[in-house]
Amino acid sequence: GAVVSQHPSRVICKSGTSVKIECRSLDFQATTMFWYRQFPKQSLMLMATSNEGSKATYEQGVEKDKFLINHASLTLSTLTVTSAHPEDSSFYICSARDPTSAPRGAKNIQYFGAGTRLSVL
Amino acid sequence: LAKTTQPISMDSYEGQEVNITCSHNNIATNDYITWYQQFPSQGPRFIIQGYKTKVTNEVASLFIPADRKSSTLSLPRVSLSDTAVYYCLVKWGFQKLVFGTGTRLLVSP
């Protein structure tokens, strides 16, 4: 199956600093990637849809100036948490669609990175 | 308010069949229902996907009734390594992708 690499796996930073998280599709090209946030013992919440070569589409309630998304190539999307604060501490997960490697009969399956645990002190 | 709901938790023993249901009363008419497995501090892993009736692969089966307002993931003969959180993922009628609330499955010896 398709492989999505996410880096770093864990980051600890001071309040007020910015943190960049990378999401790469290793063996396929992804025109669309997704960024999710997951708090402990809760489900994944879609933050934004990242489109290669165009602006990201943010979900309601997600500040686009706070969570900057760049999808400059077909294999890389980045999420930058700007001026991070303790309430931004969470598990951030990216995913990408690979229509060419989906199991037979499947459609638009998302393949997920391993996630990034962000802790803001 | 449309929701994608699942039982919070389920307990089972090794070798038993486990059925996890997801209710999605506002699912988009033209989209698939997908199930994922998630271990702690990892990203979700694809299990199975279906549109209607029944789909089976090497690890699970997925049952979808005609009205598609729910779906049931069936795991045959679970093992300890199946202890995880299971999520359904659907697209709502207004084209928003929504994960279910998640079901924490605990498999005991």
PDB file of all heavy atoms in Angstrom, chain A residues 61-92:
ATOM      1  N   GLY A  61     -13.878  27.124  12.035  1.00  0.00           N
ATOM      2  CA  GLY A  61     -13.298  27.204  13.369  1.00  0.00           C
ATOM      3  C   GLY A  61     -11.791  27.035  13.408  1.00  0.00           C
ATOM      4  O   GLY A  61     -11.191  27.209  14.473  1.00  0.00           O
ATOM      5  N   VAL A  62     -11.173  26.703  12.291  1.00  0.00           N
ATOM      6  CA  VAL A  62      -9.714  26.554  12.240  1.00  0.00           C
ATOM      7  C   VAL A  62      -9.109  27.840  11.680  1.00  0.00           C
ATOM      8  O   VAL A  62      -9.452  28.256  10.581  1.00  0.00           O
ATOM      9  CB  VAL A  62      -9.318  25.348  11.368  1.00  0.00           C
ATOM     10  CG1 VAL A  62      -7.800  25.237  11.281  1.00  0.00           C
ATOM     11  CG2 VAL A  62      -9.922  24.073  11.914  1.00  0.00           C
ATOM     12  N   GLU A  63      -8.211  28.449  12.449  1.00  0.00           N
ATOM     13  CA  GLU A  63      -7.626  29.720  12.028  1.00  0.00           C
ATOM     14  C   GLU A  63      -6.534  29.493  10.985  1.00  0.00           C
ATOM     15  O   GLU A  63      -5.490  28.894  11.276  1.00  0.00           O
ATOM     16  CB  GLU A  63      -7.013  30.420  13.237  1.00  0.00           C
ATOM     17  CG  GLU A  63      -7.992  30.715  14.362  1.00  0.00           C
ATOM     18  CD  GLU A  63      -7.259  31.296  15.566  1.00  0.00           C
ATOM     19  OE1 GLU A  63      -6.548  32.295  15.392  1.00  0.00           O
ATOM     20  OE2 GLU A  63      -7.389  30.735  16.672  1.00  0.00           O
ATOM     21  N   LYS A  64      -6.751  29.995   9.795  1.00  0.00           N
ATOM     22  CA  LYS A  64      -5.775  29.766   8.732  1.00  0.00           C
ATOM     23  C   LYS A  64      -4.472  30.520   8.954  1.00  0.00           C
ATOM     24  O   LYS A  64      -3.424  30.114   8.463  1.00  0.00           O
ATOM     25  CB  LYS A  64      -6.365  30.138   7.377  1.00  0.00           C
ATOM     26  CG  LYS A  64      -6.817  31.571   7.257  1.00  0.00           C
ATOM     27  CD  LYS A  64      -7.423  31.805   5.881  1.00  0.00           C
ATOM     28  CE  LYS A  64      -7.893  33.239   5.715  1.00  0.00           C
ATOM     29  NZ  LYS A  64      -8.507  33.458   4.381  1.00  0.00           N
ATOM     30  N   ASP A  65      -4.522  31.614   9.690  1.00  0.00           N
ATOM     31  CA  ASP A  65      -3.291  32.351   9.977  1.00  0.00           C
ATOM     32  C   ASP A  65      -2.499  31.699  11.100  1.00  0.00           C
ATOM     33  O   ASP A  65      -1.310  31.959  11.273  1.00  0.00           O
ATOM     34  CB  ASP A  65      -3.615  33.789  10.363  1.00  0.00           C
ATOM     35  CG  ASP A  65      -4.219  34.555   9.213  1.00  0.00           C
ATOM     36  OD1 ASP A  65      -3.885  34.226   8.045  1.00  0.00           O
ATOM     37  OD2 ASP A  65      -5.039  35.468   9.449  1.00  0.00           O
ATOM     38  N   LYS A  66      -3.139  30.859  11.843  1.00  0.00           N
ATOM     39  CA  LYS A  66      -2.492  30.141  12.943  1.00  0.00           C
ATOM     40  C   LYS A  66      -1.875  28.835  12.439  1.00  0.00           C
ATOM     41  O   LYS A  66      -0.818  28.442  12.859  1.00  0.00           O
ATOM     42  CB  LYS A  66      -3.540  29.815  14.010  1.00  0.00           C
ATOM     43  CG  LYS A  66      -3.050  28.921  15.115  1.00  0.00           C
ATOM     44  CD  LYS A  66      -2.714  29.739  16.297  1.00  0.00           C
ATOM     45  CE  LYS A  66      -2.308  28.854  17.451  1.00  0.00           C
ATOM     46  NZ  LYS A  66      -1.226  29.479  18.213  1.00  0.00           N
ATOM     47  N   PHE A  67      -2.598  28.188  11.556  1.00  0.00           N
ATOM     48  CA  PHE A  67      -2.158  26.899  11.015  1.00  0.00           C
ATOM     49  C   PHE A  67      -1.914  27.071   9.517  1.00  0.00           C
ATOM     50  O   PHE A  67      -2.815  26.903   8.697  1.00  0.00           O
ATOM     51  CB  PHE A  67      -3.212  25.824  11.277  1.00  0.00           C
ATOM     52  CG  PHE A  67      -3.496  25.586  12.729  1.00  0.00           C
ATOM     53  CD1 PHE A  67      -4.601  26.170  13.335  1.00  0.00           C
ATOM     54  CD2 PHE A  67      -2.647  24.795  13.490  1.00  0.00           C
ATOM     55  CE1 PHE A  67      -4.868  25.956  14.687  1.00  0.00           C
ATOM     56  CE2 PHE A  67      -2.903  24.574  14.842  1.00  0.00           C
ATOM     57  CZ  PHE A  67      -4.010  25.157  15.444  1.00  0.00           C
ATOM     58  N   LEU A  68      -0.664  27.378   9.197  1.00  0.00           N
ATOM     59  CA  LEU A  68      -0.301  27.644   7.810  1.00  0.00           C
ATOM     60  C   LEU A  68       0.001  26.341   7.081  1.00  0.00           C
ATOM     61  O   LEU A  68       0.787  25.530   7.544  1.00  0.00           O
ATOM     62  CB  LEU A  68       0.920  28.567   7.753  1.00  0.00           C
ATOM     63  CG  LEU A  68       0.757  29.934   8.414  1.00  0.00           C
ATOM     64  CD1 LEU A  68       2.064  30.718   8.322  1.00  0.00           C
ATOM     65  CD2 LEU A  68      -0.375  30.718   7.796  1.00  0.00           C
ATOM     66  N   ILE A  69      -0.634  26.167   5.945  1.00  0.00           N
ATOM     67  CA  ILE A  69      -0.441  24.954   5.167  1.00  0.00           C
ATOM     68  C   ILE A  69       0.132  25.317   3.808  1.00  0.00           C
ATOM     69  O   ILE A  69      -0.364  26.212   3.130  1.00  0.00           O
ATOM     70  CB  ILE A  69      -1.767  24.194   5.000  1.00  0.00           C
ATOM     71  CG1 ILE A  69      -2.203  23.623   6.352  1.00  0.00           C
ATOM     72  CG2 ILE A  69      -1.639  23.083   3.960  1.00  0.00           C
ATOM     73  CD1 ILE A  69      -3.576  22.998   6.343  1.00  0.00           C
ATOM     74  N   ASN A  70       1.169  24.570   3.430  1.00  0.00           N
ATOM     75  CA  ASN A  70       1.804  24.757   2.138  1.00  0.00           C
ATOM     76  C   ASN A  70       1.908  23.414   1.445  1.00  0.00           C
ATOM     77  O   ASN A  70       2.384  22.443   2.021  1.00  0.00           O
ATOM     78  CB  ASN A  70       3.194  25.380   2.309  1.00  0.00           C
ATOM     79  CG  ASN A  70       3.837  25.685   0.971  1.00  0.00           C
ATOM     80  OD1 ASN A  70       4.402  24.813   0.325  1.00  0.00           O
ATOM     81  ND2 ASN A  70       3.728  26.912   0.538  1.00  0.00           N
ATOM     82  N   HIS A  71       1.469  23.354   0.213  1.00  0.00           N
ATOM     83  CA  HIS A  71       1.497  22.099  -0.550  1.00  0.00           C
ATOM     84  C   HIS A  71       2.177  22.409  -1.876  1.00  0.00           C
ATOM     85  O   HIS A  71       1.537  22.459  -2.922  1.00  0.00           O
ATOM     86  CB  HIS A  71       0.063  21.606  -0.753  1.00  0.00           C
ATOM     87  CG  HIS A  71      -0.030  20.180  -1.213  1.00  0.00           C
ATOM     88  ND1 HIS A  71      -1.160  19.432  -1.003  1.00  0.00           N
ATOM     89  CD2 HIS A  71       0.832  19.379  -1.870  1.00  0.00           C
ATOM     90  CE1 HIS A  71      -0.990  18.220  -1.526  1.00  0.00           C
ATOM     91  NE2 HIS A  71       0.208  18.173  -2.050  1.00  0.00           N
ATOM     92  N   ALA A  72       3.488  22.611  -1.789  1.00  0.00           N
ATOM     93  CA  ALA A  72       4.229  23.128  -2.925  1.00  0.00           C
ATOM     94  C   ALA A  72       4.547  22.079  -3.984  1.00  0.00           C
ATOM     95  O   ALA A  72       4.865  22.419  -5.121  1.00  0.00           O
ATOM     96  CB  ALA A  72       5.522  23.779  -2.436  1.00  0.00           C
ATOM     97  N   SER A  73       4.495  20.805  -3.617  1.00  0.00           N
ATOM     98  CA  SER A  73       4.793  19.768  -4.596  1.00  0.00           C
ATOM     99  C   SER A  73       3.802  18.631  -4.450  1.00  0.00           C
ATOM    100  O   SER A  73       3.024  18.592  -3.494  1.00  0.00           O
ATOM    101  CB  SER A  73       6.217  19.233  -4.421  1.00  0.00           C
ATOM    102  OG  SER A  73       6.280  18.341  -3.319  1.00  0.00           O
ATOM    103  N   LEU A  74       3.848  17.682  -5.374  1.00  0.00           N
ATOM    104  CA  LEU A  74       2.899  16.571  -5.340  1.00  0.00           C
ATOM    105  C   LEU A  74       3.237  15.524  -4.287  1.00  0.00           C
ATOM    106  O   LEU A  74       2.504  14.555  -4.121  1.00  0.00           O
ATOM    107  CB  LEU A  74       2.842  15.905  -6.716  1.00  0.00           C
ATOM    108  CG  LEU A  74       2.109  16.707  -7.788  1.00  0.00           C
ATOM    109  CD1 LEU A  74       2.296  16.052  -9.149  1.00  0.00           C
ATOM    110  CD2 LEU A  74       0.627  16.822  -7.472  1.00  0.00           C
ATOM    111  N   THR A  75       4.352  15.713  -3.575  1.00  0.00           N
ATOM    112  CA  THR A  75       4.717  14.737  -2.558  1.00  0.00           C
ATOM    113  C   THR A  75       4.939  15.349  -1.180  1.00  0.00           C
ATOM    114  O   THR A  75       5.322  14.639  -0.248  1.00  0.00           O
ATOM    115  CB  THR A  75       6.012  14.000  -2.963  1.00  0.00           C
ATOM    116  OG1 THR A  75       7.069  14.950  -3.119  1.00  0.00           O
ATOM    117  CG2 THR A  75       5.813  13.212  -4.247  1.00  0.00           C
ATOM    118  N   LEU A  76       4.706  16.643  -1.033  1.00  0.00           N
ATOM    119  CA  LEU A  76       5.007  17.281   0.244  1.00  0.00           C
ATOM    120  C   LEU A  76       3.972  18.338   0.598  1.00  0.00           C
ATOM    121  O   LEU A  76       3.676  19.233  -0.189  1.00  0.00           O
ATOM    122  CB  LEU A  76       6.389  17.934   0.202  1.00  0.00           C
ATOM    123  CG  LEU A  76       6.785  18.777   1.425  1.00  0.00           C
ATOM    124  CD1 LEU A  76       6.879  17.895   2.666  1.00  0.00           C
ATOM    125  CD2 LEU A  76       8.099  19.505   1.169  1.00  0.00           C
ATOM    126  N   SER A  77       3.457  18.201   1.809  1.00  0.00           N
ATOM    127  CA  SER A  77       2.616  19.247   2.395  1.00  0.00           C
ATOM    128  C   SER A  77       3.174  19.552   3.775  1.00  0.00           C
ATOM    129  O   SER A  77       3.622  18.648   4.479  1.00  0.00           O
ATOM    130  CB  SER A  77       1.160  18.785   2.508  1.00  0.00           C
ATOM    131  OG  SER A  77       0.369  19.756   3.172  1.00  0.00           O
ATOM    132  N   THR A  78       3.164  20.817   4.155  1.00  0.00           N
ATOM    133  CA  THR A  78       3.649  21.188   5.481  1.00  0.00           C
ATOM    134  C   THR A  78       2.588  21.960   6.242  1.00  0.00           C
ATOM    135  O   THR A  78       1.802  22.709   5.651  1.00  0.00           O
ATOM    136  CB  THR A  78       4.921  22.058   5.399  1.00  0.00           C
ATOM    137  OG1 THR A  78       4.626  23.259   4.679  1.00  0.00           O
ATOM    138  CG2 THR A  78       6.048  21.311   4.711  1.00  0.00           C
ATOM    139  N   LEU A  79       2.565  21.721   7.541  1.00  0.00           N
ATOM    140  CA  LEU A  79       1.683  22.442   8.455  1.00  0.00           C
ATOM    141  C   LEU A  79       2.565  23.185   9.438  1.00  0.00           C
ATOM    142  O   LEU A  79       3.401  22.567  10.102  1.00  0.00           O
ATOM    143  CB  LEU A  79       0.768  21.470   9.198  1.00  0.00           C
ATOM    144  CG  LEU A  79      -0.020  22.032  10.386  1.00  0.00           C
ATOM    145  CD1 LEU A  79      -1.077  23.025   9.913  1.00  0.00           C
ATOM    146  CD2 LEU A  79      -0.677  20.908  11.179  1.00  0.00           C
ATOM    147  N   THR A  80       2.414  24.492   9.503  1.00  0.00           N
ATOM    148  CA  THR A  80       3.162  25.285  10.461  1.00  0.00           C
ATOM    149  C   THR A  80       2.212  25.846  11.495  1.00  0.00           C
ATOM    150  O   THR A  80       1.268  26.568  11.142  1.00  0.00           O
ATOM    151  CB  THR A  80       3.919  26.435   9.766  1.00  0.00           C
ATOM    152  OG1 THR A  80       4.818  25.888   8.792  1.00  0.00           O
ATOM    153  CG2 THR A  80       4.717  27.240  10.787  1.00  0.00           C
ATOM    154  N   VAL A  81       2.466  25.484  12.746  1.00  0.00           N
ATOM    155  CA  VAL A  81       1.691  26.038  13.852  1.00  0.00           C
ATOM    156  C   VAL A  81       2.424  27.293  14.301  1.00  0.00           C
ATOM    157  O   VAL A  81       3.536  27.217  14.850  1.00  0.00           O
ATOM    158  CB  VAL A  81       1.567  25.031  15.007  1.00  0.00           C
ATOM    159  CG1 VAL A  81       0.683  25.598  16.111  1.00  0.00           C
ATOM    160  CG2 VAL A  81       1.009  23.703  14.505  1.00  0.00           C
ATOM    161  N   THR A  82       1.853  28.433  14.050  1.00  0.00           N
ATOM    162  CA  THR A  82       2.521  29.698  14.356  1.00  0.00           C
ATOM    163  C   THR A  82       2.183  30.168  15.760  1.00  0.00           C
ATOM    164  O   THR A  82       1.064  29.963  16.248  1.00  0.00           O
ATOM    165  CB  THR A  82       2.114  30.774  13.350  1.00  0.00           C
ATOM    166  OG1 THR A  82       0.707  31.001  13.460  1.00  0.00           O
ATOM    167  CG2 THR A  82       2.448  30.359  11.933  1.00  0.00           C
ATOM    168  N   SER A  83       3.188  30.739  16.412  1.00  0.00           N
ATOM    169  CA  SER A  83       3.012  31.257  17.767  1.00  0.00           C
ATOM    170  C   SER A  83       2.233  30.262  18.629  1.00  0.00           C
ATOM    171  O   SER A  83       1.137  30.563  19.131  1.00  0.00           O
ATOM    172  CB  SER A  83       2.288  32.611  17.726  1.00  0.00           C
ATOM    173  OG  SER A  83       2.244  33.191  19.014  1.00  0.00           O
ATOM    174  N   ALA A  84       2.816  29.102  18.767  1.00  0.00           N
ATOM    175  CA  ALA A  84       2.121  28.018  19.467  1.00  0.00           C
ATOM    176  C   ALA A  84       1.899  28.343  20.938  1.00  0.00           C
ATOM    177  O   ALA A  84       2.734  28.978  21.591  1.00  0.00           O
ATOM    178  CB  ALA A  84       2.920  26.730  19.338  1.00  0.00           C
ATOM    179  N   HIS A  85       0.767  27.897  21.452  1.00  0.00           N
ATOM    180  CA  HIS A  85       0.437  28.046  22.857  1.00  0.00           C
ATOM    181  C   HIS A  85       0.048  26.693  23.427  1.00  0.00           C
ATOM    182  O   HIS A  85      -0.253  25.759  22.674  1.00  0.00           O
ATOM    183  CB  HIS A  85      -0.691  29.071  23.028  1.00  0.00           C
ATOM    184  CG  HIS A  85      -0.244  30.472  22.756  1.00  0.00           C
ATOM    185  ND1 HIS A  85      -0.340  31.057  21.521  1.00  0.00           N
ATOM    186  CD2 HIS A  85       0.335  31.397  23.554  1.00  0.00           C
ATOM    187  CE1 HIS A  85       0.136  32.291  21.574  1.00  0.00           C
ATOM    188  NE2 HIS A  85       0.559  32.516  22.796  1.00  0.00           N
ATOM    189  N   PRO A  86       0.042  26.553  24.746  1.00  0.00           N
ATOM    190  CA  PRO A  86      -0.263  25.251  25.348  1.00  0.00           C
ATOM    191  C   PRO A  86      -1.547  24.619  24.840  1.00  0.00           C
ATOM    192  O   PRO A  86      -1.624  23.393  24.719  1.00  0.00           O
ATOM    193  CB  PRO A  86      -0.338  25.584  26.847  1.00  0.00           C
ATOM    194  CG  PRO A  86       0.625  26.711  27.013  1.00  0.00           C
ATOM    195  CD  PRO A  86       0.467  27.542  25.759  1.00  0.00           C
ATOM    196  N   GLU A  87      -2.538  25.415  24.512  1.00  0.00           N
ATOM    197  CA  GLU A  87      -3.801  24.835  24.025  1.00  0.00           C
ATOM    198  C   GLU A  87      -3.667  24.234  22.633  1.00  0.00           C
ATOM    199  O   GLU A  87      -4.577  23.530  22.177  1.00  0.00           O
ATOM    200  CB  GLU A  87      -4.923  25.887  24.032  1.00  0.00           C
ATOM    201  CG  GLU A  87      -4.635  27.114  23.204  1.00  0.00           C
ATOM    202  CD  GLU A  87      -4.041  28.249  24.022  1.00  0.00           C
ATOM    203  OE1 GLU A  87      -3.354  27.960  25.016  1.00  0.00           O
ATOM    204  OE2 GLU A  87      -4.265  29.407  23.653  1.00  0.00           O
ATOM    205  N   ASP A  88      -2.551  24.501  21.959  1.00  0.00           N
ATOM    206  CA  ASP A  88      -2.296  23.885  20.649  1.00  0.00           C
ATOM    207  C   ASP A  88      -1.675  22.498  20.793  1.00  0.00           C
ATOM    208  O   ASP A  88      -1.502  21.783  19.793  1.00  0.00           O
ATOM    209  CB  ASP A  88      -1.372  24.767  19.804  1.00  0.00           C
ATOM    210  CG  ASP A  88      -1.985  26.114  19.504  1.00  0.00           C
ATOM    211  OD1 ASP A  88      -3.210  26.168  19.260  1.00  0.00           O
ATOM    212  OD2 ASP A  88      -1.244  27.125  19.520  1.00  0.00           O
ATOM    213  N   SER A  89      -1.321  22.126  22.006  1.00  0.00           N
ATOM    214  CA  SER A  89      -0.751  20.802  22.238  1.00  0.00           C
ATOM    215  C   SER A  89      -1.768  19.749  21.818  1.00  0.00           C
ATOM    216  O   SER A  89      -2.909  19.749  22.275  1.00  0.00           O
ATOM    217  CB  SER A  89      -0.397  20.625  23.716  1.00  0.00           C
ATOM    218  OG  SER A  89       0.594  21.565  24.110  1.00  0.00           O
ATOM    219  N   SER A  90      -1.333  18.855  20.949  1.00  0.00           N
ATOM    220  CA  SER A  90      -2.250  17.851  20.416  1.00  0.00           C
ATOM    221  C   SER A  90      -1.461  16.863  19.557  1.00  0.00           C
ATOM    222  O   SER A  90      -0.248  16.978  19.414  1.00  0.00           O
ATOM    223  CB  SER A  90      -3.334  18.532  19.571  1.00  0.00           C
ATOM    224  OG  SER A  90      -4.335  17.615  19.190  1.00  0.00           O
ATOM    225  N   PHE A  91      -2.169  15.921  18.997  1.00  0.00           N
ATOM    226  CA  PHE A  91      -1.600  14.953  18.055  1.00  0.00           C
ATOM    227  C   PHE A  91      -2.074  15.369  16.672  1.00  0.00           C
ATOM    228  O   PHE A  91      -3.273  15.399  16.409  1.00  0.00           O
ATOM    229  CB  PHE A  91      -2.099  13.548  18.429  1.00  0.00           C
ATOM    230  CG  PHE A  91      -1.395  12.418  17.742  1.00  0.00           C
ATOM    231  CD1 PHE A  91      -0.008  12.308  17.768  1.00  0.00           C
ATOM    232  CD2 PHE A  91      -2.110  11.433  17.080  1.00  0.00           C
ATOM    233  CE1 PHE A  91       0.646  11.263  17.151  1.00  0.00           C
ATOM    234  CE2 PHE A  91      -1.462  10.365  16.453  1.00  0.00           C
ATOM    235  CZ  PHE A  91      -0.086  10.288  16.489  1.00  0.00           C
ATOM    236  N   TYR A  92      -1.136  15.707  15.807  1.00  0.00           N
ATOM    237  CA  TYR A  92      -1.471  16.165  14.460  1.00  0.00           C
ATOM    238  C   TYR A  92      -1.139  15.046  13.468  1.00  0.00           C
ATOM    239  O   TYR A  92      -0.051  14.477  13.495  1.00  0.00           O
ATOM    240  CB  TYR A  92      -0.696  17.437  14.111  1.00  0.00           C
ATOM    241  CG  TYR A  92      -1.119  18.621  14.944  1.00  0.00           C
ATOM    242  CD1 TYR A  92      -0.557  18.868  16.187  1.00  0.00           C
ATOM    243  CD2 TYR A  92      -2.110  19.496  14.484  1.00  0.00           C
ATOM    244  CE1 TYR A  92      -0.963  19.942  16.969  1.00  0.00           C
ATOM    245  CE2 TYR A  92      -2.522  20.572  15.248  1.00  0.00           C
ATOM    246  CZ  TYR A  92      -1.944  20.798  16.492  1.00  0.00           C
ATOM    247  OH  TYR A  92      -2.357  21.857  17.254  1.00  0.00           O
TER     248      TYR A  92
END
